[in-house]
Short mmCIF file of all heavy atoms in Angstrom, two decimals:
data_model
loop_
_atom_site.label_atom_id
_atom_site.label_comp_id
_atom_site.label_asym_id
_atom_site.label_seq_id
_atom_site.Cartn_x
_atom_site.Cartn_y
_atom_site.Cartn_z
N ARG L 279 75.76 117.83 68.31
CA ARG L 279 76.95 117.56 68.90
C ARG L 279 77.91 116.64 67.95
O ARG L 279 77.30 115.88 67.17
CB ARG L 279 76.86 116.83 70.33
CG ARG L 279 76.38 115.37 70.10
CD ARG L 279 76.07 114.73 71.42
NE ARG L 279 75.67 113.24 71.28
CZ ARG L 279 74.53 112.78 71.04
NH1 ARG L 279 73.53 113.61 70.67
NH2 ARG L 279 74.33 111.45 70.96
N THR L 280 79.11 116.88 68.04
CA THR L 280 80.11 116.02 67.32
C THR L 280 80.56 114.87 68.14
O THR L 280 81.18 113.90 67.62
CB THR L 280 81.21 116.76 66.76
OG1 THR L 280 81.87 117.50 67.81
CG2 THR L 280 80.76 117.84 65.72
N GLY L 281 80.38 114.96 69.41
CA GLY L 281 80.74 113.86 70.35
C GLY L 281 80.31 114.10 71.76
O GLY L 281 79.85 115.18 72.01
N GLN L 282 80.41 113.07 72.56
CA GLN L 282 79.99 113.23 73.99
C GLN L 282 80.95 112.35 74.82
O GLN L 282 81.46 111.36 74.37
CB GLN L 282 78.53 112.87 74.28
CG GLN L 282 78.18 111.44 74.19
CD GLN L 282 78.04 110.97 72.66
OE1 GLN L 282 77.58 111.70 71.87
NE2 GLN L 282 78.48 109.76 72.44
N ILE L 283 81.13 112.77 76.15
CA ILE L 283 81.86 112.03 77.08
C ILE L 283 81.03 111.79 78.36
O ILE L 283 80.64 112.79 78.93
CB ILE L 283 83.28 112.63 77.43
CG1 ILE L 283 84.13 112.75 76.21
CG2 ILE L 283 83.93 111.84 78.55
CD1 ILE L 283 85.39 113.59 76.49
N LYS L 284 80.69 110.60 78.67
CA LYS L 284 80.13 110.35 79.98
C LYS L 284 81.22 109.86 80.90
O LYS L 284 81.85 108.81 80.74
CB LYS L 284 78.99 109.28 79.92
CG LYS L 284 78.29 109.09 81.28
CD LYS L 284 77.16 108.12 81.18
CE LYS L 284 76.43 108.06 82.58
NZ LYS L 284 75.36 107.14 82.60
N MET L 285 81.50 110.77 81.86
CA MET L 285 82.56 110.45 82.79
C MET L 285 82.23 109.38 83.75
O MET L 285 81.16 109.33 84.38
CB MET L 285 83.06 111.66 83.67
CG MET L 285 83.54 112.84 82.76
SD MET L 285 85.18 112.56 82.18
CE MET L 285 86.11 112.97 83.62
N LYS L 286 83.17 108.34 83.82
CA LYS L 286 82.94 107.16 84.70
C LYS L 286 83.96 107.21 85.89
O LYS L 286 84.91 107.98 85.90
CB LYS L 286 83.16 105.89 83.90
CG LYS L 286 82.15 105.67 82.68
CD LYS L 286 80.82 105.29 83.20
CE LYS L 286 79.86 104.88 82.07
NZ LYS L 286 78.64 104.35 82.52
N GLN L 287 83.71 106.29 86.84
CA GLN L 287 84.63 106.23 87.89
C GLN L 287 85.99 105.60 87.37
O GLN L 287 86.02 104.86 86.44
CB GLN L 287 84.09 105.33 89.10
CG GLN L 287 82.86 106.00 89.64
CD GLN L 287 82.46 105.25 91.00
OE1 GLN L 287 83.21 104.55 91.64
NE2 GLN L 287 81.20 105.42 91.38
N ILE L 288 86.99 105.85 88.11
CA ILE L 288 88.33 105.45 87.74
C ILE L 288 88.51 103.98 88.14
O ILE L 288 88.16 103.59 89.27
CB ILE L 288 89.46 106.28 88.37
CG1 ILE L 288 89.44 107.66 87.74
CG2 ILE L 288 90.87 105.57 88.31
CD1 ILE L 288 90.37 108.67 88.35
N ALA L 289 89.02 103.16 87.30
CA ALA L 289 89.18 101.66 87.50
C ALA L 289 90.14 101.43 88.63
O ALA L 289 91.17 102.14 88.87
CB ALA L 289 89.57 100.92 86.30
N PHE L 290 90.00 100.30 89.29
CA PHE L 290 90.81 99.94 90.41
C PHE L 290 92.28 99.82 90.00
O PHE L 290 93.23 100.13 90.81
CB PHE L 290 90.39 98.67 91.11
CG PHE L 290 91.24 98.21 92.22
CD1 PHE L 290 91.25 98.81 93.44
CD2 PHE L 290 92.15 97.13 92.05
CE1 PHE L 290 92.10 98.49 94.53
CE2 PHE L 290 92.96 96.75 93.12
CZ PHE L 290 92.97 97.42 94.32
N LYS L 291 92.59 99.44 88.74
CA LYS L 291 93.92 99.17 88.38
C LYS L 291 94.72 100.53 88.36
O LYS L 291 95.98 100.48 88.35
CB LYS L 291 93.97 98.55 87.00
CG LYS L 291 93.45 99.40 85.80
CD LYS L 291 93.53 98.65 84.56
CE LYS L 291 92.89 99.46 83.40
NZ LYS L 291 92.94 98.76 82.13
N HIS L 292 94.06 101.64 88.42
CA HIS L 292 94.73 102.95 88.48
C HIS L 292 94.70 103.54 89.93
O HIS L 292 95.23 104.60 90.17
CB HIS L 292 94.14 103.94 87.52
CG HIS L 292 94.27 103.56 86.09
ND1 HIS L 292 95.47 103.60 85.43
CD2 HIS L 292 93.37 103.02 85.19
CE1 HIS L 292 95.26 103.23 84.18
NE2 HIS L 292 94.01 102.72 84.04
N TYR L 293 94.05 102.79 90.81
CA TYR L 293 93.71 103.36 92.11
C TYR L 293 95.04 103.67 92.88
O TYR L 293 95.12 104.59 93.55
CB TYR L 293 92.91 102.39 92.95
CG TYR L 293 92.22 102.97 94.11
CD1 TYR L 293 91.01 103.70 93.98
CD2 TYR L 293 92.59 102.69 95.37
CE1 TYR L 293 90.38 104.26 95.07
CE2 TYR L 293 91.92 103.20 96.53
CZ TYR L 293 90.82 103.99 96.28
OH TYR L 293 90.16 104.44 97.44
N HIS L 294 96.05 102.86 92.78
CA HIS L 294 97.29 102.99 93.46
C HIS L 294 97.98 104.28 93.14
O HIS L 294 98.83 104.75 93.89
CB HIS L 294 98.23 101.86 93.15
CG HIS L 294 98.79 101.80 91.84
ND1 HIS L 294 98.06 101.25 90.71
CD2 HIS L 294 99.97 102.22 91.34
CE1 HIS L 294 98.78 101.40 89.64
NE2 HIS L 294 99.90 102.00 89.90
N GLU L 295 97.73 104.85 91.94
CA GLU L 295 98.34 106.12 91.60
C GLU L 295 97.96 107.33 92.50
O GLU L 295 98.60 108.34 92.44
CB GLU L 295 98.05 106.37 90.12
CG GLU L 295 98.48 105.34 89.15
CD GLU L 295 98.04 105.58 87.74
OE1 GLU L 295 98.14 106.83 87.30
OE2 GLU L 295 97.65 104.65 87.00
N PHE L 296 96.90 107.15 93.22
CA PHE L 296 96.50 108.29 94.09
C PHE L 296 97.26 108.22 95.40
O PHE L 296 97.26 109.11 96.22
CB PHE L 296 94.99 108.05 94.46
CG PHE L 296 94.13 108.52 93.34
CD1 PHE L 296 93.63 107.57 92.45
CD2 PHE L 296 93.73 109.77 93.17
CE1 PHE L 296 92.71 107.95 91.43
CE2 PHE L 296 92.90 110.22 92.16
CZ PHE L 296 92.38 109.20 91.30
N PHE L 297 97.89 107.07 95.70
CA PHE L 297 98.55 106.85 97.06
C PHE L 297 100.04 106.48 96.88
O PHE L 297 100.42 106.02 95.95
CB PHE L 297 97.81 105.78 97.79
CG PHE L 297 96.38 105.98 97.96
CD1 PHE L 297 95.40 105.52 97.15
CD2 PHE L 297 95.83 106.77 99.04
CE1 PHE L 297 94.00 105.68 97.23
CE2 PHE L 297 94.46 106.96 99.19
CZ PHE L 297 93.56 106.50 98.30
N ASP L 298 100.76 106.78 98.05
CA ASP L 298 102.17 106.28 98.14
C ASP L 298 102.30 105.44 99.31
O ASP L 298 101.84 105.79 100.41
CB ASP L 298 103.03 107.64 98.34
CG ASP L 298 103.00 108.51 97.02
OD1 ASP L 298 103.12 107.93 95.99
OD2 ASP L 298 102.99 109.72 97.19
N GLY L 299 102.88 104.30 99.13
CA GLY L 299 103.36 103.45 100.22
C GLY L 299 102.33 102.68 100.99
O GLY L 299 102.57 102.54 102.19
N ILE L 300 101.14 102.43 100.34
CA ILE L 300 100.21 101.62 101.11
C ILE L 300 100.08 100.33 100.45
O ILE L 300 100.27 100.12 99.25
CB ILE L 300 98.85 102.27 101.28
CG1 ILE L 300 98.08 102.35 100.01
CG2 ILE L 300 99.10 103.72 101.92
CD1 ILE L 300 96.60 102.93 100.24
N SER L 301 99.61 99.27 101.20
CA SER L 301 99.58 97.93 100.71
C SER L 301 98.37 97.64 99.81
O SER L 301 97.49 98.46 99.75
CB SER L 301 99.47 96.94 101.90
OG SER L 301 98.21 97.08 102.56
N GLU L 302 98.40 96.58 99.07
CA GLU L 302 97.28 96.15 98.19
C GLU L 302 96.05 96.03 99.00
O GLU L 302 94.93 96.37 98.55
CB GLU L 302 97.62 94.85 97.46
CG GLU L 302 96.66 94.41 96.42
CD GLU L 302 96.75 95.18 95.12
OE1 GLU L 302 97.61 96.01 94.96
OE2 GLU L 302 95.97 94.81 94.20
N ARG L 303 96.09 95.43 100.23
CA ARG L 303 94.97 95.24 101.07
C ARG L 303 94.34 96.61 101.41
O ARG L 303 93.08 96.75 101.36
CB ARG L 303 95.24 94.46 102.27
CG ARG L 303 94.01 94.15 103.14
CD ARG L 303 94.35 93.32 104.38
NE ARG L 303 93.15 92.94 105.05
CZ ARG L 303 92.42 91.81 104.82
NH1 ARG L 303 92.90 91.03 103.91
NH2 ARG L 303 91.34 91.54 105.43
N GLN L 304 95.21 97.52 101.76
CA GLN L 304 94.71 98.83 102.11
C GLN L 304 93.99 99.54 100.95
O GLN L 304 93.03 100.25 101.04
CB GLN L 304 95.82 99.68 102.67
CG GLN L 304 96.32 99.19 104.05
CD GLN L 304 97.60 99.91 104.42
OE1 GLN L 304 98.51 100.21 103.61
NE2 GLN L 304 97.76 100.23 105.72
N LEU L 305 94.54 99.29 99.69
CA LEU L 305 93.95 99.88 98.53
C LEU L 305 92.61 99.33 98.33
O LEU L 305 91.66 100.02 97.99
CB LEU L 305 94.91 99.55 97.38
CG LEU L 305 96.15 100.39 97.20
CD1 LEU L 305 97.03 99.80 96.07
CD2 LEU L 305 95.90 101.87 97.01
N ILE L 306 92.45 98.01 98.48
CA ILE L 306 91.19 97.34 98.21
C ILE L 306 90.11 97.84 99.24
O ILE L 306 89.01 98.11 98.93
CB ILE L 306 91.31 95.85 98.28
CG1 ILE L 306 92.14 95.36 97.12
CG2 ILE L 306 89.92 95.18 98.26
CD1 ILE L 306 92.50 93.95 97.11
N GLU L 307 90.59 97.89 100.57
CA GLU L 307 89.61 98.41 101.57
C GLU L 307 89.13 99.84 101.31
O GLU L 307 87.95 100.19 101.47
CB GLU L 307 90.32 98.32 102.99
CG GLU L 307 90.55 96.87 103.38
CD GLU L 307 91.34 96.80 104.67
OE1 GLU L 307 91.96 97.78 105.13
OE2 GLU L 307 91.32 95.62 105.24
N ALA L 308 90.12 100.72 100.88
CA ALA L 308 89.81 102.14 100.60
C ALA L 308 88.88 102.15 99.39
O ALA L 308 87.82 102.96 99.36
CB ALA L 308 91.00 102.96 100.39
N TYR L 309 89.18 101.42 98.34
CA TYR L 309 88.31 101.36 97.16
C TYR L 309 86.93 100.88 97.48
O TYR L 309 85.97 101.32 96.81
CB TYR L 309 88.99 100.49 96.07
CG TYR L 309 88.38 100.41 94.78
CD1 TYR L 309 88.42 101.45 93.93
CD2 TYR L 309 87.60 99.23 94.38
CE1 TYR L 309 87.75 101.29 92.65
CE2 TYR L 309 86.92 99.11 93.20
CZ TYR L 309 87.04 100.19 92.30
OH TYR L 309 86.39 100.12 91.13
N ALA L 310 86.78 100.01 98.38
CA ALA L 310 85.55 99.40 98.79
C ALA L 310 84.54 100.49 99.34
O ALA L 310 83.31 100.40 99.24
CB ALA L 310 85.67 98.27 99.84
N VAL L 311 85.21 101.66 99.85
CA VAL L 311 84.33 102.74 100.29
C VAL L 311 84.29 103.84 99.31
O VAL L 311 83.19 104.28 98.95
CB VAL L 311 84.95 103.32 101.68
CG1 VAL L 311 84.05 104.42 102.17
CG2 VAL L 311 85.07 102.19 102.69
N THR L 312 85.35 104.26 98.73
CA THR L 312 85.39 105.41 97.79
C THR L 312 85.02 105.05 96.42
O THR L 312 84.64 105.96 95.64
CB THR L 312 86.72 106.10 97.85
OG1 THR L 312 87.74 105.26 97.20
CG2 THR L 312 87.20 106.47 99.26
N GLY L 313 85.16 103.82 95.94
CA GLY L 313 85.09 103.51 94.56
C GLY L 313 86.07 104.30 93.72
O GLY L 313 87.14 104.55 94.26
N GLY L 314 85.72 104.66 92.53
CA GLY L 314 86.67 105.35 91.70
C GLY L 314 86.27 106.84 91.57
O GLY L 314 86.60 107.46 90.51
N VAL L 315 85.71 107.47 92.58
CA VAL L 315 85.40 108.90 92.52
C VAL L 315 86.55 109.68 93.03
O VAL L 315 86.87 109.63 94.28
CB VAL L 315 84.17 109.10 93.40
CG1 VAL L 315 83.77 110.69 93.28
CG2 VAL L 315 82.90 108.30 92.81
N PRO L 316 87.27 110.45 92.24
CA PRO L 316 88.41 111.18 92.58
C PRO L 316 88.35 112.06 93.86
O PRO L 316 89.18 112.02 94.73
CB PRO L 316 88.77 112.06 91.43
CG PRO L 316 88.17 111.26 90.25
CD PRO L 316 86.93 110.65 90.82
N LYS L 317 87.25 112.70 93.98
CA LYS L 317 87.12 113.58 95.20
C LYS L 317 86.93 112.83 96.45
O LYS L 317 87.57 113.22 97.52
CB LYS L 317 85.81 114.52 95.05
CG LYS L 317 85.61 115.53 96.15
CD LYS L 317 86.66 116.55 96.09
CE LYS L 317 86.40 117.75 97.18
NZ LYS L 317 87.49 118.68 97.13
N TYR L 318 86.35 111.71 96.46
CA TYR L 318 86.24 110.86 97.61
C TYR L 318 87.62 110.24 97.99
O TYR L 318 88.02 110.26 99.17
CB TYR L 318 85.26 109.60 97.37
CG TYR L 318 83.86 109.88 96.97
CD1 TYR L 318 83.00 108.88 96.64
CD2 TYR L 318 83.42 111.20 96.97
CE1 TYR L 318 81.70 109.20 96.29
CE2 TYR L 318 82.12 111.51 96.73
CZ TYR L 318 81.19 110.47 96.29
OH TYR L 318 79.94 110.72 95.95
N ILE L 319 88.32 109.88 96.90
CA ILE L 319 89.71 109.22 97.15
C ILE L 319 90.55 110.32 97.77
O ILE L 319 91.41 110.00 98.66
CB ILE L 319 90.24 108.81 95.72
CG1 ILE L 319 89.34 107.74 95.21
CG2 ILE L 319 91.68 108.22 95.99
CD1 ILE L 319 89.71 107.37 93.72
N GLU L 320 90.43 111.57 97.22
CA GLU L 320 91.29 112.66 97.81
C GLU L 320 91.02 112.83 99.28
O GLU L 320 92.01 113.16 100.06
CB GLU L 320 90.99 113.92 96.97
CG GLU L 320 91.85 115.12 97.40
CD GLU L 320 91.54 116.39 96.67
OE1 GLU L 320 90.81 116.24 95.59
OE2 GLU L 320 92.07 117.44 97.06
N SER L 321 89.77 112.68 99.70
CA SER L 321 89.40 112.87 101.13
C SER L 321 90.01 111.74 101.97
O SER L 321 90.39 112.05 103.13
CB SER L 321 87.86 112.78 101.29
OG SER L 321 87.30 113.92 100.61
N PHE L 322 90.09 110.58 101.41
CA PHE L 322 90.64 109.34 102.20
C PHE L 322 92.17 109.39 102.20
O PHE L 322 92.74 108.76 103.15
CB PHE L 322 90.08 108.11 101.54
CG PHE L 322 88.91 107.64 102.13
CD1 PHE L 322 87.77 108.39 102.38
CD2 PHE L 322 88.77 106.30 102.63
CE1 PHE L 322 86.56 107.97 102.88
CE2 PHE L 322 87.63 105.83 103.22
CZ PHE L 322 86.53 106.62 103.39
N GLU L 323 92.87 110.03 101.35
CA GLU L 323 94.29 109.94 101.22
C GLU L 323 95.02 110.24 102.53
O GLU L 323 95.95 109.43 102.85
CB GLU L 323 94.76 110.87 100.12
CG GLU L 323 96.18 110.58 99.66
CD GLU L 323 97.19 111.43 100.37
OE1 GLU L 323 96.86 112.37 101.07
OE2 GLU L 323 98.44 111.00 100.32
#
């Protein structure tokens, strides 16, 4: 191989980009369940 990528969960600082119009508290609560897994976040949206 010339390179590899191990995909990690998305950091909380980018979490708000998945949602529109929800508070910081709601973001933290949702992140506490879904973490940074995009498919989980999509289900919660």
Side-chain angles (χ1 to χ4, degrees):
R279 72 188 186 277
T280 56
Q282 71 281 324
I283 296 173
K284 184 178 183 181
M285 296 285 282
K286 298 283 190 177
Q287 295 191 24
I288 289 173
F290 177 73
K291 65 182 178 181
H292 298 285
Y293 199 76
H294 70 278
E295 297 175 42
F296 287 94
F297 302 94
D298 293 318
I300 70 171
S301 68
E302 185 81 359
R303 184 180 187 88
Q304 289 168 325
L305 288 173
I306 292 170
E307 290 173 348
Y309 182 75
V311 182
T312 66
V315 180
K317 186 67 175 178
Y318 301 174
I319 302 168
E320 184 179 350
S321 297
F322 266 52
E323 195 268 342

